Amino acid sequence: MNIPSELKYTKDHEWVKIDGDIATVGITDFAQSELGDIVYVEVETLDETLDKEEVFGTVEAVKTVSDLFLPLSGEIVEFNEALEDEPEKVNSDPYGDGWMVKIKLSEPSEVEELMSAEDYKALIGA
């Protein structure tokens, strides 16, 4: 199970990479393996400002559809459009080409509430 130590994590199995006031968000290796083959990623919240834990999109796998929860409050400034044609990138490279959205943070202090890699490993029993 790949859980990069430089990232932050949520109980909803999203990862977060912070770069100044921009956060890149995707789902974890654990989440994509639990979902199975991902066939569609939908994000209709581009250019919207959402609160932490609001639904920002959905991910559809062969057997299920799962909501995506925003890990931090802010404006969704970018969607990984490559996922429209190749949603399987979430399975093959969840921490790289499989990223989902970028957020301009409105409450940077919320970052402190995210889990470390060690805390996330404990959550999933890795």
Side-chain angles (χ1 to χ4, degrees), residues 3-125:
I3 303 171
S5 61
E6 70 275 10
L7 302 176
K8 298 289 188 181
Y9 299 88
T10 72
K11 63 179 176 28
D12 298 312
H13 309 290
E14 279 113 10
W15 60 263
V16 182
K17 179 182 178 187
I18 305 296
D19 185 10
D21 65 348
I22 300 293
T24 303
V25 178
I27 64 170
T28 65
D29 191 24
F30 174 81
Q32 70 79 21
S33 68
E34 291 291 303
L35 287 168
D37 292 337
I38 293 172
V39 296
Y40 189 66
V41 177
E42 180 176 55
V43 174
E44 294 184 346
T45 52
L46 188 62
D47 299 325
E48 290 183 24
T49 299
L50 302 174
D51 290 330
K52 177 181 172 182
E53 298 184 357
E54 278 194 83
V55 173
F56 73 87
T58 56
V59 61
E60 184 176 337
V62 174
K63 297 179 184 175
T64 188
V65 175
S66 185
D67 285 336
L68 298 166
F69 299 95
L70 203 63
L72 300 163
S73 300
E75 179 186 356
I76 297 179
V77 294
E78 190 175 344
F79 167 62
N80 184 355
E81 293 181 7
L83 300 181
E84 290 179 348
D85 296 325
E86 298 177 89
E88 65 275 7
K89 286 181 183 248
V90 175
N91 292 116
S92 63
D93 191 11
Y95 302 113
D97 291 340
W99 66 273
M100 294 183 173
V101 295
K102 292 188 179 185
I103 309 162
K104 182 169 178 41
L105 301 179
S106 58
E107 297 289 335
S109 63
E110 290 176 349
V111 171
E112 297 167 23
E113 299 168 23
L114 297 173
M115 287 189 268
S116 68
E118 292 306 312
D119 292 339
Y120 185 70
K121 286 177 187 175
L123 176 75
I124 62 172

